[in-house]
Amino acid sequence: MTTNPRKGTDPVPAEESDQLTIRPLGAGQEVGRSCIMLEFKGKKIMLDCGIHPGLSGMDALPFIDLIEADEVDLLLVSHFHLDHSGALPWFLTKTSFKGRVFMTHATKAIYRWLVSDYIKVSNISTEQMLYTESDLENSMDRIETINFHEERDVRGVKFWAYNAGHVLGAAMFMIEIAGVKILYTGDFSRQEDRHLMAAEIPTVHPDVLITESTYGTHIHEKREERESRFTGLVSDIVGRGGRCLIPVFALGRAQELLLILDEYWSLHPELQDIPIYYASSLAKKCMAVYQTYVNAMNDRIRRQIAINNPFVFRHISNLKVYANKGIDHFEDIGPCVIMASPGMMQSGLSRELFESWCTDPKNGVIIAGYCVEGTLAKTILSEPDEITTMSGQKLPLRMSVDYISFSAHTDYQQTSEFINILKPPHVVLVHGEQNEMSRLRAALEREHRGAILVHTPRNTQPLALCFRGDTTAKVMGSLAVDPPKEGQELQGILVKRNFNYHILAPADLNKYTELVQSEVTQRQSLQYAGSVPLLRHVLMQLAGHIDFLSETRWRLYSCIELTIESSTIVLEWRAGPVADMYADALVGAALSAAALAAPAATHPPLAPKLDRMHFKECVIEMFQDMFGEDSVPKMFKGDKLYVTVDDKRADIDLQSMEVRCPEEPSLASCVRSALQHLHAALSPVRPPPGAPPPADS
Amino acid sequence: MTSIIKLHCLSGAGEETPPCYVLQIDEFKFLLDCGWDEKFDMVFIKELKRHVNSIDAVLISHSDPLHLGALPYAVGKLGLSCPIYATLPVYKMGQMFMYDLYQAHKNVSEFDLFTLDDVDMAFDRIVQLKYNQSIEMKGKGLGLRITPLPAGHSLGGTIWRISAPGEEDIVYAPDFNHKKERHLNGCDIERLMRPSLMLLGAMNADYVQQRRRLRDEKLMTTILTTLRGGGCVLVCTDTAGRVLELAHMLDQLWRNKDSGLVAYSLLLLSNVSYNVVEFAKSQIEWMSDKLTRAFEGARSNPFALRHVQLCHSAGDVTRTPGPKVVLASFPDLEAGFARDLFLQWAPHSHNSIVLTARTSPGTLARDLIDNGGDRVIELVVRRRVKLEGAELEEFLQQQRMNVTNTVREEVAGISSDSDSEDELEMCVVTGRHDIPVRLETRLGGCFKSNKRHHAIYPFHEERTRADDYGEIIKPEDYRLAEIVDAEGEIRDVPPTAPIKQEQDEEMSEVPSKCVSSVRQVHVKAHVEYIELEGRCDGESLLRVVSQTKPWAVVGLRASEAALHTLKKHCESEGIEKVFLPSVGETVDATTESHIYQVKLTDGLMRGLVWRQAGDAELAWLSAVVAPRTHARESDAAPEEGGGAVSLEAGAGRPRAAAFVNTVRLHELRAALARAGLQPDLGAGTLTCCSGTLAVRRMENGQVSLEGVLSEEYYKVRELLYEQFAIV
């Protein structure tokens, strides 16, 4: 089925089911805890299920208590970052959610270790913990994997993934419900980097684009400039004898930085005495994943991997980190470069190192990714004179603070280009601070004047869009032999599956679907001790006509066979609403016949046809009731009759059942339908359609 | 609407030749697979040549030469220029297959049917797809949609689904496996409901398969007894398909400490074994759920094979001391290292030859399967020998001439780009063809070691272990002599034979020629056929037909007996159209389907009463075709608005009610039990109320309700009706 979604600007939807609701439960005018609910045609889809990196415990969750978790059909996770996947173990184990979860293979593999690491490093009390390692372990089996471009169908919701470029395995999901397409970008980047490909541009045009707006109207500097600024900064810091701290997310952008640093070091032999440490056991664990899912990376890596593995670094050594216990055999003696997680220095090693180094002006910190409000990394970007340590102590901030964005998020240029190509009528902005978002909204509206509607729903605020589309169906099989003509009647079974409609003749049902049409026959027996002629009389009065197949087998209403055996009557028929009703009537008649005393003489059988005289009497009586005593003549001969109402005369022919009244057509039709109904009521009942033709006796 | 659907069988019909068919849907022509047999049949090529120019798209289902062998020839020599569709593993592994096949032949003969450039050219045309990714055809094929579905059998193996306009659904399933294997998921072909045409590889229709465990045990016993008896096991398998299952299985076996196999060597021998394993490592997402999950859990790549030594020449095998198991290509024993090793090992009774697949009739492996070992077989032995004496002189002379010619040409300004044979060979090594042979992988993770290394000369101290009697003697070290001895017994092989090891590396430089001779080989080695093809067995194949209920079936690539079994089964299932074409025949499966599209108005939709039946909803529709409103039609979307008429609610005509769904008696029983009617189920009859009421299933699928007039009668009837969607 295809629908033509038109721009849904109608405030009051004609039908409830035409309304698409987009409701951010997280990441609405904020960054972090991405969680967006889609609702359309009774299907509920959750996009991402993340936690807020700046908050902890239950506060970090999206507003999931506003929905019924068990009603969610489908949950799609765009990539492994905690602000997109961090609440998933909780959602899977602590709520009644029973739908299906999908993510890409690489995302699933890394997600497992990332969340497990998060459980270890988050230094909060166990009561506040959202989930434990075993919860995570148990929920892994519920997560299904989907390959890029692979089309899946869950209860009529069709969806597939595109490469998003943001981190390894990051996906943009295209979701199609009843012909309406929604593209959720997750975090994406249209810039190819050292190991990832640029986000793909879907070949189909979505009706709604739900896109991130992290960087608002910023425009990123060129990759080359950015990289040389970064390497320059690093070599400056180590050159002045300082220690260089780069807080990073353990996975994702860190791999890109490692590739850059490793290359820079190998090109500059004078730096090779200065060690680069990558303090993350997690990254070491996940390197196998990076080495395996190369098919999700760009061509350069795929070509190179056949020769040697670019993820085998020559100048970077790994520092073993024990949870909350500092670092093993790391002698803090001279200049060095350390990449440490977490990226926003909320806690953990990067925070520890920062606190011990921040008082020395020789040292430097380079913030390489996006920072969320409320984290230390965001705080120091405003260059305060002093900072508060984890223990509450104040320390002067003397080290140099620099910010180079390596986070692979789209910028204004990329977003705008993306929208230009896709031309979605609706754009919904999520995953961005309020100010950035409204700036982006204004800029987009300015650029695409009138062509698109930009929405920026706040958390929990539902956005309703209306998609009115025609429902179309395919007529198939014997019904479709003749092309449709105006006014032609069309009857058949309408089969609805996954928003697809087909119209079929009942006989074609098992030809075109796996549905089978079956038949039910019924055989009902009842006690009857009375006389056979009496039964015949009663039944004839009821049914009007009996086919006598033999002395003891009669057919009534052309569809029910009645067999008389010694003191039992057996009724046999093919089940169906009408035949069932006839059968019930016969059973009633037979029972009443049994109750009657056997009459002395046999009754003459009644004529099994319409009594014309009786019919005429009834006609006169009816019209007198309808139009008054004088409207019809009291007596008449033959089959001609007339009715006079307000001096208008309608001629009636009872033989052909025709009514004529040239002056007043409405009177004619009124009289005609009254006459027809009366005739139908008085004439013997007809067999139901589809009854088997009378068998030859 | 009538779609013309024709299938022309170029090969692989009525007999077990490789599959290659031309499927025509209206104007559009698909080439389904492009296999070439082990002997490179030129008659087939001639036939293919006639069609090459009219092909619009090629669909490849598996990566072995059986399914894509003729592709390089078709693209390189016949000029096939349409897009080729295959899944990503078929692309990668298919390339490995073709490199190996080329190299295997090049090693022993002047192979010139296609070059590595042809292989690359052919694979450059491949559009790589993922499973369930739908692709719309363009141009003539507008409205056609192809979707690859997982087939099992080999990594990336595909069942193709081709949807044509008018709800035509064609399924092409030449080889598939419904069972889960170690590294692959089974296919779910049963989910394809009611395809209009099913092109089915019927080779196994009458095939009875042993249980997998029995076969695995048989393999293991053969390996163990042979190794313990001091012999070697040659497992004949393919390059990059089934070998993965075998390698993974054997590696697991070796890992098992109780198996007692650790002392022996396990070798994987093909020209591209390193690359095959590397590619397998990066395609975990295409493998079985179990492996993917294990990878997510343990992060250990299932194809980081611990016990398998990767070899690229027969020399690597001879250099490995002691009894060993070698997985070598090709399974047909017509070419490749498997044949070389067969010639070496067959005459010795302590060795074992394990055949894993029924290859085409006429191949050596098939001959051994059908007629058994322990007899004298006459074989053509082809090999490449170094030029010596006069011949070498002559060759060098020729070379010199060539060089001067080229120089002259260059002087004359003619580009020498037309790659000479030598250049091409060099490319193999330099990696333009993706087969850099690299044996040593750096161990120890991805990071630099923390320890500082000072610049010193490398020094390895050989530690000699000694016991009371002096240096410990390992018997294996001396076993090598035995094997050399064994080689010596092959009288015909001149002492130059072992030089073949070097030829691999120096082929381009060492002037050589190819000789062939006929030799009597007495097969004394234990020949065992253990079927590890990973195809579904006869019973399941027929069950697939019963479950999917196709409108029409074409039985392909099978012996007469198998086709007969299929035909009989289809007839018993009530499938009227069963085609069993033979090579060169064309099947006309054109169906006449009537279909048109209508719009359903809101008023009509509101009046419908829906009933649930399975995953679908049904309603009786009674409508009238509404008069067209031309004004609106024009501004609506023209591409679909043109043909659609809309329906309005219309008066109902009397009609018979339709009972949709089939009743399952045990479900009904459960419903009756819930209502407290104490039902009793036995022999297709459900009785209740002490036998006064009975629900029966008739042979024709009808259901009958019998009983005496009572209150329960109506209760049972109501519950029975609930089982149906009555519209």
Side-chain angles (χ1 to χ4, degrees):
Chain A
M1 186 202 73
T2 44
T3 48
N4 293 329
R6 274 168 245 129
K7 267 201 208 158
T9 41
D10 193 0
V12 186
E15 256 184 67
E16 193 62 21
S17 57
D18 288 333
Q19 186 173 304
L20 166 72
T21 319
I22 300 170
R23 186 184 198 192
L25 302 177
Q29 302 197 358
E30 65 170 352
V31 176
R33 56 171 160 186
S34 284
C35 185
I36 293 122
M37 283 301 298
L38 292 184
E39 231 182 293
F40 189 49
K41 302 260 178 201
K43 308 281 174 195
K44 294 189 179 180
I45 297 145
M46 186 185 274
L47 301 169
D48 281 339
C49 193
I51 48 166
H52 198 291
L55 303 168
S56 70
M58 294 293 266
D59 298 342
L61 289 176
F63 298 95
I64 286 171
D65 43 348
L66 293 174
I67 55 152
E68 298 297 329
D70 58 333
E71 286 173 6
V72 178
D73 299 290
L74 178 66
L75 168 52
L76 302 174
V77 177
S78 64
H79 64 280
F80 58 72
H81 277 152
L82 288 174
D83 59 332
H84 292 259
S85 69
L88 186 57
W90 178 85
F91 192 62
L92 286 175
T93 54
K94 309 283 153 116
T95 67
S96 54
F97 172 65
K98 51 185 194 294
R100 295 170 71 177
V101 193
F102 285 90
M103 50 175 83
T104 61
H105 292 87
T107 302
K108 190 181 175 193
I110 297 175
Y111 154 85
R112 193 208 167 304
W113 299 106
L114 197 67
V115 175
S116 146
D117 185 68
Y118 165 73
I119 295 169
K120 276 190 215 117
V121 298
S122 59
N123 53 348
I124 49 170
S125 58
T126 22
E127 304 90 75
Q128 270 193 300
M129 290 283 278
L130 290 170
Y131 41 83
T132 61
E133 180 76 26
S134 66
D135 289 336
L136 169 67
E137 199 70 58
N138 296 336
S139 62
M140 281 305 283
D141 278 352
R142 288 211 35 205
I143 302 171
E144 292 169 75
T145 46
I146 178 172
N147 216 329
F148 290 103
H149 304 130
E150 183 184 346
E151 278 179 31
R152 298 299 279 266
D153 193 309
V154 171
R155 293 189 226 171
V157 181
K158 213 159 87 174
F159 60 96
W160 59 97
Y162 294 99
N163 274 300
H166 176 61
V167 288
L168 180 65
M172 304 189 281
F173 284 104
M174 181 75 85
I175 301 139
E176 187 181 335
I177 310 169
V180 174
K181 294 188 206 71
I182 302 140
L183 180 68
Y184 174 59
T185 63
D187 291 357
F188 76 107
S189 164
R190 293 268 307 127
Q191 193 175 52
E192 181 169 326
D193 62 18
R194 265 157 208 266
H195 70 294
L196 297 168
M197 61 174 96
E200 291 171 286
I201 293 179
T203 45
V204 287
H205 296 287
D207 301 302
V208 181
L209 173 71
I210 304 176
T211 178
E212 63 146 322
S213 50
T214 323
Y215 279 87
T217 48
H218 286 255
I219 290 172
H220 293 323
E221 56 187 319
K222 285 215 183 71
R223 197 183 105 186
E224 296 75 28
E225 284 170 23
R226 184 173 71 179
E227 281 181 13
S228 67
R229 200 152 72 86
F230 172 71
T231 48
L233 257 172
V234 172
S235 65
D236 271 0
I237 294 168
V238 292
R240 67 188 184 221
R243 303 164 183 87
C244 177
L245 173 66
I246 310 168
V248 284
F249 276 121
L251 287 162
R253 305 316 303 153
Q255 275 61 35
E256 179 76 5
L257 295 179
L258 289 175
L259 289 171
I260 296 171
L261 282 177
D262 198 52
E263 189 189 286
Y264 189 72
W265 249 239
S266 54
L267 290 176
H268 295 82
E270 71 277 9
L271 289 172
Q272 285 172 10
D273 281 340
I274 296 163
I276 308 175
Y277 296 109
Y278 182 29
S280 166
S281 53
L282 176 66
K284 208 179 164 187
K285 281 181 197 159
C286 291
M287 270 312 175
V289 181
Y290 270 81
Q291 287 162 5
T292 298
Y293 293 117
V294 286
N295 290 323
M297 298 186 203
N298 60 22
D299 289 341
R300 204 178 71 100
I301 293 279
R302 266 184 279 177
R303 270 198 305 275
Q304 204 184 339
I305 211 114
I307 303 154
N308 67 46
N309 199 322
F311 289 101
V312 174
F313 301 111
R314 280 161 298 168
H315 302 285
I316 295 160
S317 38
N318 189 44
L319 269 189
K320 236 179 173 168
V321 190
Y322 296 103
N324 305 324
K325 283 203 195 101
I327 13 179
D328 185 33
H329 53 85
F330 167 58
E331 297 154 26
D332 190 5
I333 41 168
C336 63
V337 181
I338 290 197
M339 293 172 65
S341 60
M344 304 183 202
M345 299 195 287
Q346 303 97 310
S347 60
L349 183 72
S350 58
R351 180 65 169 262
E352 234 172 275
L353 288 171
F354 176 78
E355 286 175 8
S356 61
W357 291 351
C358 70
T359 50
D360 188 343
K362 269 198 287 186
N363 298 339
V365 59
I366 303 175
I367 309 287
Y370 182 81
C371 317
V372 172
E373 289 299 342
T375 56
L376 177 68
K378 187 82 184 179
T379 318
I380 60 168
L381 281 183
S382 56
E383 301 190 11
D385 288 337
E386 51 182 25
I387 53 119
T388 318
T389 64
M390 298 279 277
S391 52
Q393 198 187 341
K394 299 252 182 203
L395 282 177
L397 174 66
R398 295 211 188 91
M399 79 194 293
S400 64
V401 177
D402 290 278
Y403 175 62
I404 301 174
S405 163
F406 273 96
S407 64
H409 286 280
T410 174
D411 64 358
Y412 180 69
Q413 229 168 18
Q414 295 173 23
T415 314
S416 177
E417 186 203 345
F418 198 62
I419 289 171
N420 259 335
I421 299 170
L422 289 179
K423 297 192 176 58
H426 295 275
V427 174
V428 181
L429 300 181
V430 294
H431 199 280
E433 302 292 350
Q434 200 177 347
N435 293 336
E436 296 292 350
M437 212 183 248
S438 46
R439 254 177 253 149
L440 179 61
R441 175 189 185 156
L444 285 177
E445 274 174 349
R446 209 177 316 122
E447 194 180 325
H448 305 266
R449 196 175 299 279
I452 56 166
L453 285 172
V454 185
H455 309 271
T456 55
R458 253 179 312 191
N459 272 345
T460 75
Q461 190 185 65
L463 164 73
L465 303 174
C466 193
F467 289 95
R468 284 270 309 116
D470 293 316
T471 320
T472 59
K474 281 180 182 153
V475 184
M476 286 171 70
S478 53
L479 284 181
V481 172
D482 299 318
K485 283 191 287 287
E486 253 174 54
Q488 178 199 336
E489 266 191 21
L490 189 72
Q491 279 193 320
I493 295 179
L494 183 63
V495 182
K496 173 190 179 191
R497 177 176 291 147
N498 295 346
F499 308 111
N500 286 315
Y501 295 89
H502 290 112
I503 301 171
L504 299 167
D508 288 340
L509 203 60
N510 31 359
K511 246 181 180 180
Y512 291 99
T513 64
E514 78 288 353
L515 296 168
V516 192
Q517 198 187 0
S518 28
E519 269 175 27
V520 177
T521 54
Q522 295 194 45
R523 210 177 131 91
Q524 201 173 31
S525 54
L526 66 149
Q527 204 76 22
Y528 179 74
S531 79
V532 176
L534 178 65
L535 178 71
R536 189 174 61 204
H537 171 71
V538 171
L539 293 185
M540 221 177 241
Q541 271 197 320
L542 176 75
H545 176 75
I546 300 180
D547 283 325
F548 294 99
L549 303 177
S550 74
E551 197 56 27
T552 52
R553 274 183 69 215
W554 307 341
R555 190 200 298 277
L556 297 116
Y557 300 113
S558 316
C559 67
I560 298 174
E561 268 185 32
L562 181 144
T563 318
I564 304 164
E565 288 157 17
S566 54
S567 75
T568 23
I569 303 174
V570 180
L571 294 172
E572 251 187 290
W573 73 97
R574 226 179 85 185
V578 180
D580 283 0
M581 182 194 72
Y582 283 149
D584 291 351
L586 288 178
V587 167
L591 289 177
S592 65
L596 281 177
T602 49
H603 290 259
L606 270 173
K609 58 177 190 195
L610 182 66
D611 185 346
R612 307 273 336 165
M613 272 321 286
H614 179 61
F615 176 55
K616 282 180 188 168
E617 282 166 24
C618 291
V619 168
I620 291 171
E621 211 168 304
M622 178 180 75
F623 286 128
Q624 282 177 343
D625 281 356
M626 283 173 80
F627 306 113
E629 292 285 330
D630 306 324
S631 59
V632 273
K634 295 271 178 295
M635 289 292 290
F636 67 96
K637 285 257 156 56
D639 289 318
K640 303 272 193 243
L641 177 72
Y642 60 89
V643 183
T644 334
V645 180
D646 290 344
D647 301 328
K648 307 233 163 63
R649 184 181 143 132
D651 290 304
I652 304 166
D653 185 345
L654 288 181
Q655 193 62 47
S656 59
M657 301 287 287
E658 262 174 36
V659 180
R660 239 177 247 239
C661 180
E663 306 145 60
E664 189 66 49
S666 66
L667 175 68
S669 74
C670 171
V671 171
R672 191 181 299 121
S673 78
L675 200 64
Q676 274 166 355
H677 282 128
L678 182 70
H679 184 262
L682 290 176
S683 56
V685 279
R686 269 166 305 185
D696 19 306
S697 24
Chain B
M1 185 196 301
T2 312
S3 296
I4 296 163
I5 299 175
K6 281 183 182 166
L7 184 78
H8 181 72
C9 305
L10 295 176
S11 166
E15 53 184 24
E16 289 176 29
T17 42
C20 187
Y21 318 98
V22 179
L23 175 69
Q24 182 186 350
I25 302 173
D26 292 330
E27 296 287 285
F28 200 82
K29 280 185 176 174
F30 286 105
L31 185 69
L32 304 177
D33 280 331
C34 194
W36 210 352
D37 66 352
E38 293 83 349
K39 306 248 160 98
F40 306 107
D41 182 14
M42 289 313 283
V43 180
F44 155 67
I45 290 297
K46 216 189 250 168
E47 197 50 37
L48 178 64
K49 195 174 178 178
R50 287 181 41 218
H51 292 270
V52 143
N53 291 325
S54 62
I55 302 291
D56 299 295
V58 184
L59 308 183
I60 299 293
S61 48
H62 292 279
S63 51
D64 50 356
L66 189 73
H67 293 91
L68 52 69
L71 215 48
Y73 192 91
V75 173
K77 304 285 193 276
L78 302 181
L80 181 77
S81 58
C82 62
I84 302 168
Y85 296 92
T87 56
L88 186 140
V90 167
Y91 167 78
K92 288 266 188 201
M93 294 310 191
Q95 211 166 8
M96 290 302 108
F97 262 110
M98 294 318 290
Y99 286 155
D100 192 28
L101 187 69
Y102 173 82
Q103 202 62 44
H105 283 278
K106 195 78 189 167
N107 280 350
V108 293
S109 61
E110 299 293 353
F111 187 73
D112 56 359
L113 283 174
F114 56 87
T115 62
L116 289 177
D117 278 348
D118 292 336
V119 177
D120 283 357
M121 222 156 83
F123 281 85
D124 282 347
R125 299 210 158 273
I126 289 188
V127 180
Q128 299 169 38
L129 303 180
K130 308 278 170 56
Y131 283 147
N132 292 322
Q133 179 181 356
S134 295
I135 295 281
E136 309 262 353
M137 296 292 111
K138 294 197 177 72
K140 277 193 288 180
L142 205 68
L144 291 173
R145 244 168 112 84
I146 54 166
T147 317
L149 304 169
H153 179 62
S154 75
L155 191 61
T158 309
I159 292 171
W160 287 99
R161 176 186 187 163
I162 304 156
S163 317
E167 307 272 305
E168 293 285 354
D169 217 357
I170 299 166
V171 173
Y172 172 59
D175 286 296
F176 56 93
N177 188 9
H178 67 293
K179 284 199 198 104
K180 233 192 271 174
E181 290 187 278
R182 283 182 178 77
H183 84 295
L184 290 175
N185 281 334
C187 68
D188 32 43
I189 189 171
E190 305 92 77
R191 262 204 261 148
L192 298 167
M193 286 316 294
R194 304 235 61 176
S196 51
L197 179 64
M198 190 167 203
L199 313 174
L200 193 66
M203 187 181 166
N204 274 2
D206 57 351
Y207 179 68
V208 184
Q209 200 173 37
Q210 263 185 323
R211 303 258 315 271
R212 193 179 93 174
R213 252 193 55 203
L214 287 176
R215 282 179 285 148
D216 289 356
E217 273 168 17
K218 202 162 133 194
L219 179 64
M220 170 141 178
T221 349
T222 311
I223 287 174
L224 264 180
T225 44
T226 314
L227 290 177
R228 290 202 175 130
C232 299
V233 185
L234 167 66
V235 183
C236 309
T237 179
D238 58 13
T239 313
R242 303 299 308 157
V243 69
L244 296 176
E245 176 78 6
L246 265 167
H248 184 253
M249 175 170 111
L250 293 180
D251 191 61
Q252 293 291 324
L253 208 61
W254 250 254
R255 275 185 209 194
N256 185 353
K257 288 201 180 68
D258 304 328
S259 66
L261 287 164
V262 195
Y264 306 107
S265 321
L266 174 61
L267 284 79
L268 177 60
L269 174 65
S270 78
N271 291 300
V272 288
S273 57
Y274 168 77
N275 301 77
V276 166
V277 173
E278 278 302 297
F279 286 140
K281 274 188 202 166
S282 64
Q283 288 167 10
I284 302 298
E285 66 263 46
W286 295 82
M287 296 185 192
S288 71
D289 294 340
K290 206 179 135 199
L291 284 198
T292 350
R293 214 167 293 144
F295 175 69
E296 281 151 10
R299 299 182 328 271
S300 69
N301 197 307
F303 278 89
L305 303 167
R306 256 188 259 166
H307 297 275
V308 177
Q309 290 177 43
L310 305 177
C311 305
H312 296 94
S313 71
D316 292 340
V317 177
T318 15
R319 258 177 252 137
T320 313
K324 56 205 162 236
V325 176
V326 181
L327 305 174
S329 62
F330 283 86
D332 46 64
L333 288 175
E334 286 297 316
F337 294 126
R339 190 177 173 97
D340 300 345
L341 288 178
F342 176 78
L343 289 173
Q344 263 184 45
W345 291 356
H348 303 284
S349 56
H350 54 267
N351 291 335
S352 286
I353 315 286
V354 177
L355 303 163
T356 57
R358 291 161 297 162
T359 50
S360 305
T363 55
L364 175 55
R366 187 64 178 258
D367 182 39
L368 287 169
I369 292 171
D370 292 342
N371 304 320
D374 199 20
R375 63 199 162 100
V376 179
I377 299 176
E378 200 163 88
L379 289 177
V380 179
V381 178
R382 281 173 304 174
R383 61 208 160 73
R384 193 172 270 271
V385 289
K386 271 193 196 171
L387 292 183
E388 276 169 348
E391 277 179 318
L392 183 64
E393 278 300 304
E394 198 182 320
F395 176 81
L396 292 175
Q397 188 78 39
Q398 191 86 39
Q399 281 261 286
R400 255 170 263 137
M401 291 267 287
N402 279 351
V403 170
T404 38
N405 277 349
T406 345
V407 170
R408 229 172 277 145
E409 270 177 25
E410 260 170 38
V411 169
I414 297 164
S415 157
S416 65
D417 251 11
S418 55
D419 13 3
S420 67
E421 199 68 357
D422 288 26
E423 241 175 52
L424 192 109
E425 290 296 332
M426 291 301 288
C427 299
V428 179
V429 191
T430 49
R432 212 179 88 198
H433 292 282
D434 287 1
I435 44 169
V437 177
R438 211 179 56 119
L439 280 168
E440 305 299 321
T441 42
R442 195 176 123 184
L443 297 167
C446 24
F447 292 106
K448 192 174 88 170
S449 160
N450 253 351
K451 287 176 202 153
R452 283 272 165 109
H453 292 291
H454 297 281
I456 51 165
Y457 285 105
F459 175 67
H460 294 288
E461 197 175 1
E462 283 282 336
R463 276 219 188 130
T464 49
R465 290 235 215 111
D467 57 13
D468 295 347
Y469 302 97
E471 192 180 335
I472 292 172
I473 291 165
K474 285 190 227 149
E476 298 97 273
D477 292 351
Y478 298 88
R479 255 234 188 76
L480 190 62
E482 260 174 59
I483 286 160
V484 175
D485 234 33
E487 278 176 7
E489 270 187 38
I490 308 166
R491 291 269 169 266
D492 304 298
V493 182
T496 46
I499 288 172
K500 215 186 275 174
Q501 307 154 8
E502 291 150 44
Q503 281 176 3
D504 272 343
E505 294 127 41
E506 303 167 26
M507 180 117 53
S508 49
E509 291 108 59
V510 179
S512 60
K513 63 165 181 177
C514 297
V515 290
S516 77
S517 59
V518 176
R519 190 204 302 169
Q520 307 274 335
V521 179
H522 190 168
V523 183
K524 283 195 195 139
H526 176 60
V527 175
E528 183 90 67
Y529 164 56
I530 302 169
E531 189 257 302
L532 296 163
E533 286 172 2
R535 287 197 178 93
C536 98
D537 61 322
E539 204 183 312
S540 322
L541 189 96
L542 298 181
R543 205 169 47 232
V544 163
V545 175
S546 326
Q547 277 175 359
T548 49
K549 291 195 189 124
W551 280 86
V553 175
V554 183
L556 298 169
R557 192 170 178 264
S559 64
E560 220 162 282
L563 289 175
H564 184 69
T565 317
L566 177 71
K567 190 180 173 80
K568 255 177 55 190
H569 180 78
C570 289
E571 277 163 7
S572 73
E573 284 295 326
I575 298 164
E576 287 158 24
K577 288 189 183 172
V578 183
F579 303 100
L580 306 172
S582 53
V583 169
E585 274 184 16
T586 305
V587 167
D588 190 348
T590 303
T591 51
E592 202 172 331
S593 64
H594 302 287
I595 189 160
Y596 61 83
Q597 226 178 26
V598 290
K599 277 184 198 151
L600 305 176
T601 53
D602 288 342
L604 182 64
M605 291 299 283
R606 261 196 293 275
L608 296 175
V609 185
W610 292 102
R611 313 254 178 220
Q612 193 74 34
D615 58 343
E617 282 178 276
L618 307 178
W620 182 263
L621 180 97
S622 169
V624 176
V625 179
R628 268 170 200 250
T629 44
H630 288 279
R632 262 197 65 215
E633 207 88 325
S634 53
D635 55 42
E639 75 267 24
E640 39 184 32
V645 289
S646 51
L647 290 182
E648 277 173 358
R653 249 185 300 132
R655 57 170 179 111
F659 286 65
V660 180
N661 231 347
T662 42
V663 165
R664 290 200 179 77
L665 287 183
H666 60 266
E667 278 170 17
L668 180 61
R669 187 179 72 156
L672 290 176
R674 271 196 299 278
L677 291 164
Q678 289 149 11
D680 198 11
L681 183 62
T685 310
L686 185 70
T687 53
C688 69
C689 304
S690 58
T692 55
L693 292 174
V695 180
R696 249 183 221 118
R697 254 198 100 98
M698 320 288 240
E699 273 166 15
N700 55 5
Q702 285 187 2
V703 178
S704 89
L705 169 68
E706 291 175 24
V708 294
L709 180 70
S710 59
E711 205 177 313
E712 283 78 19
Y713 183 92
Y714 294 98
K715 273 191 198 161
V716 172
R717 186 166 84 181
E718 201 173 313
L719 288 170
L720 177 65
Y721 282 1
E722 274 173 20
Q723 305 287 314
F724 293 101
I726 303 171
V727 289

